[in-house]
Amino acid sequence: MTYLDANAAEPLRPAARAAMIEALGQVGNPSSVHGPGRAARRILEDARESLAASFGARPADLVFTSGGTEADALALHALSPGRRAIIGATEHDAVRAAAPGAAILPVDSSGVADLAALEALLAEGEPALVALMLANNETGVLHPIVEAARLCRRFGALLHVDAVQAAGRLAIDFAALGAASLALSSHKLGGPAGAGALLLAPEAAEHFRPLIEGGGQERGRRGGTPALAAIAGFAAAAREALAVPSSVLGPLRDAAERAARAAGAIILGVDAPRLDNTTALALPGIKAETQVIALDLAGVAVSAGAACSSGKVAESHVLRAMGAGVLAGQAIRVSLPWNATEEDVQRFATAYAEMAARLLRRAA
Ligand code: PLP
């Protein structure tokens, strides 16, 4: 199988596997005061320090969670008191579901947040909590976070950044971004599923209210015994990811796009700054689900824009927000994993050309 669905889950990195195996050998709960507990605590705090260093945060302001969804939900819960929510039109469901009734910040036809619209929304009234992702999961399109953070500060608003897809693929310096909080997920950067983190700026750390209180772990910000092995794997994966820039994937992504274009595809978000590993390819007239199944049968794993947990394909709200019209239901996402090769792209190109020719002929 040629695996080109990294934005759903990256393959586990060797360093993450090794760190997890070592941590699995450690008996004890990091909250216990005895020797084994202290050894477990050391693993936890080493991972915290390492991740904080990887992403430009202070270790004390990094809260471990179960993944990106919880980190987003925690941020929107913790920072929302007394604030109205504004979220980007192309946010992930992890954010959308955690901010019901939020005002929606539109994007342009490339999928980039409209900063003039943000300014107008911020000027409307009480202080806001804004959620804007760093990189979109369906298109790879990057939002101007530094500029958005600057605007938010001008209007006394807090900015939460979902960096789940950007982390490990772009260098992130949380302190320099100027955001109040930032969400990370382990399995999107080559660590195991089951771990994530929320980074907090001092102003967010001060007035924080937890979603889960439990036994007061994570300085009272997230109750529950941490998933030690997953967290150790998360930190090791982040170190490895940042050691090799994902720009090495750019030429492979470009080759995949050239092949798809030649077969009739339209690339969505192509004019915006994007992640190097992601492309959204629309094939006019052919349902996304049909394309995904055809490619799967040809041995190539990709996804439709938005897959629900049921496995059913829903029309993409991201592509709709970009004004893609019917193409919103006719686009697949190809996302190259960290270990993608030229052979992977070759196999994709062959399978895509065959699939497009056959389905377009049938549709004509
Ligand atoms: N945010 C974005 C942009 C995502 O792409 C995802 C997962 O696809 C999430 C949040 C949720 O992360 P997790 O799967 O770790 O809960």
Side-chain angles (χ1 to χ4, degrees), residues 121-179:
L121 282 167
L122 287 170
E124 262 173 25
E126 313 106 54
L129 169 60
V130 178
L132 190 59
M133 67 205 321
L134 190 35
N136 184 267
N137 46 302
E138 294 184 31
T139 58
V141 166
L142 308 178
H143 288 301
I145 295 296
V146 172
E147 292 79 356
R150 209 174 290 136
L151 266 180
C152 285
R153 269 199 308 280
R154 181 141 70 82
F155 288 92
L158 295 179
L159 176 65
H160 168 66
V161 177
D162 177 337
V164 163
Q165 294 290 351
R169 297 177 179 145
L170 299 176
I172 294 176
D173 182 349
F174 176 58
L177 278 183

Side-chain angles (χ1 to χ4, degrees), residues 265-303:
I266 295 170
I267 302 164
L268 302 171
V270 67
D271 294 328
R274 290 183 295 161
L275 292 175
D276 289 300
N277 80 315
T278 308
T279 183
L281 303 172
L283 194 56
I286 312 294
K287 272 169 62 181
E289 201 168 357
T290 309
Q291 299 177 50
V292 171
I293 293 168
L295 288 171
D296 185 43
L297 289 172
V300 178
V302 301
S303 74

Side-chain angles (χ1 to χ4, degrees), residues 7 67-70 72 92 94 133 135 137 162 164-165 185 187-188:
N7 291 12
T69 301
E70 187 190 331
D72 282 330
H92 189 270
M133 67 205 321
N137 46 302
D162 177 337
V164 163
Q165 294 290 351
S185 171
H187 70 118
K188 306 292 189 188

Side-chain angles (χ1 to χ4, degrees), residues 25 54 58 63 81 101 131 156 177 217 223 229 263 287:
S54 292
R58 296 193 314 189
V63 182
L177 278 183
Q217 289 92 340
K287 272 169 62 181

